Amino acid sequence: MPFDFKKEYKEFYMPPKKPAIVTVPPMNFIAVRGEGDPNAEGGEYKQAIELLYGIAYTIKMSKKGSRQIDGYFDYVVPPLEGFWWQEGVSGIDYSRKQDFRWISLIRLPDFVTKEDLDWALDEAQRKKKTDFSKVGFLTYDEGLCVQCMHVGSYDNEPATVEMMHAFMEREGYTLDITDERFHHEIYLSDARRVEADKLKTVIRHPIKKA
């Protein structure tokens, strides 16, 4: 059976619908940076997702090609994730989607190196005749966070965020969103196929001791 990050690391991908404190270890990702409304047809965000999945599957399917990645094991491509912020805004203003800045990500297995990614970029560009130069290698040490499973529309996230913040304050923590620690979402549902009220999204915020 292919290794499934969601099943093997449930504490990071399948949290309960009640907030909890978690310490997230360093992880490697493929990442694309951009800005603007994620719902815009033909916008940067949707293009970024196509680029990420193009590279993610090039790496996953390398086992059938000429490049044998050292330490490779078969795995399920992890879910799409995103870091979100807005300049001059504390937290997120969901009414101003056009002002979003974001980093879209897909986790990499630990055996994938920067050199392996460089190969995948060249391989995908050669096969798909598409420019993948926006895709980069990112190591992120998220550390101490509060997180919760949000079920429902993305526009209804503020209620879950408010619950998370009330919980962390009761536990003696304060929010620690900075230029390097972000509002973080992990998308467990495909919004193209799942009704809005059934979408499952992990919401994670960095925190520190008050």
Side-chain angles (χ1 to χ4, degrees), residues 67 112-120 137:
R67 185 179 183 88
V112 178
T113 66
K114 176 66 166 59
E115 290 72 26
D116 295 323
L117 175 59
D118 289 341
W119 165 83
F137 187 94

Side-chain angles (χ1 to χ4, degrees), residues 81-115:
E81 307 185 32
F83 300 146
W84 298 86
W85 71 96
Q86 292 161 320
E87 297 297 330
V89 175
S90 177
I92 296 291
D93 183 348
Y94 290 81
S95 67
R96 293 169 47 190
K97 292 184 174 68
Q98 71 277 7
D99 295 332
F100 274 136
R101 307 289 179 88
W102 42 262
I103 305 174
S104 288
L105 318 115
I106 294 178
R107 184 178 179 177
L108 289 170
D110 289 343
F111 61 74
V112 178
T113 66
K114 176 66 166 59
E115 290 72 26

Side-chain angles (χ1 to χ4, degrees), residues 42-109:
E44 273 192 71
Y45 184 72
K46 294 188 176 180
Q47 294 174 19
I49 293 174
E50 292 177 3
L51 294 175
L52 287 174
Y53 277 108
I55 297 302
Y57 279 97
T58 297
I59 294 171
K60 173 179 168 59
M61 300 311 295
S62 64
K63 62 183 179 180
K64 295 188 176 182
S66 59
R67 185 179 183 88
Q68 300 301 305
I69 298 177
D70 188 37
Y72 181 96
F73 55 80
D74 196 16
Y75 63 98
V76 177
V77 171
L80 179 71
E81 307 185 32
F83 300 146
W84 298 86
W85 71 96
Q86 292 161 320
E87 297 297 330
V89 175
S90 177
I92 296 291
D93 183 348
Y94 290 81
S95 67
R96 293 169 47 190
K97 292 184 174 68
Q98 71 277 7
D99 295 332
F100 274 136
R101 307 289 179 88
W102 42 262
I103 305 174
S104 288
L105 318 115
I106 294 178
R107 184 178 179 177
L108 289 170

Side-chain angles (χ1 to χ4, degrees), residues 27-204:
M27 299 178 186
N28 296 329
F29 298 87
I30 46 174
V32 176
R33 297 170 183 265
E35 57 186 69
D37 186 343
N39 298 320
E41 285 300 326
E44 273 192 71
Y45 184 72
K46 294 188 176 180
Q47 294 174 19
I49 293 174
E50 292 177 3
L51 294 175
L52 287 174
Y53 277 108
I55 297 302
Y57 279 97
T58 297
I59 294 171
K60 173 179 168 59
M61 300 311 295
S62 64
K63 62 183 179 180
K64 295 188 176 182
S66 59
R67 185 179 183 88
Q68 300 301 305
I69 298 177
D70 188 37
Y72 181 96
F73 55 80
D74 196 16
Y75 63 98
V76 177
V77 171
L80 179 71
E81 307 185 32
F83 300 146
W84 298 86
W85 71 96
Q86 292 161 320
E87 297 297 330
V89 175
S90 177
I92 296 291
D93 183 348
Y94 290 81
S95 67
R96 293 169 47 190
K97 292 184 174 68
Q98 71 277 7
D99 295 332
F100 274 136
R101 307 289 179 88
W102 42 262
I103 305 174
S104 288
L105 318 115
I106 294 178
R107 184 178 179 177
L108 289 170
D110 289 343
F111 61 74
V112 178
T113 66
K114 176 66 166 59
E115 290 72 26
D116 295 323
L117 175 59
D118 289 341
W119 165 83
L121 294 174
D122 290 341
E123 182 77 356
Q125 188 152 316
R126 181 179 65 82
K127 287 187 174 181
K128 299 178 182 293
K129 311 301 182 187
T130 299
D131 181 7
F132 284 90
S133 61
K134 289 184 178 180
V135 181
F137 187 94
L138 174 67
T139 298
Y140 190 64
D141 187 356
E142 196 161 22
L144 191 64
C145 296
V146 60
Q147 69 177 13
C148 188
M149 180 72 78
H150 171 76
V151 179
S153 167
Y154 303 131
D155 290 337
N156 293 335
E157 287 182 5
T160 298
V161 169
E162 183 177 339
M163 180 173 62
M164 289 165 54
H165 289 181
F167 171 80
M168 76 178 183
E169 289 171 2
R170 290 196 303 270
E171 295 295 312
Y173 297 93
T174 186
L175 193 64
D176 192 32
I177 289 179
T178 67
D179 291 343
E180 297 180 344
R181 304 187 77 199
F182 307 101
H183 171 97
H184 185 179
E185 300 183 1
I186 304 174
Y187 307 105
L188 302 178
S189 306
D190 186 339
R192 298 169 300 177
R193 297 181 173 87
V194 178
E195 295 178 12
D197 62 348
K198 296 179 181 177
L199 292 171
K200 290 184 177 180
T201 308
V202 180
I203 302 177
R204 188 180 293 156

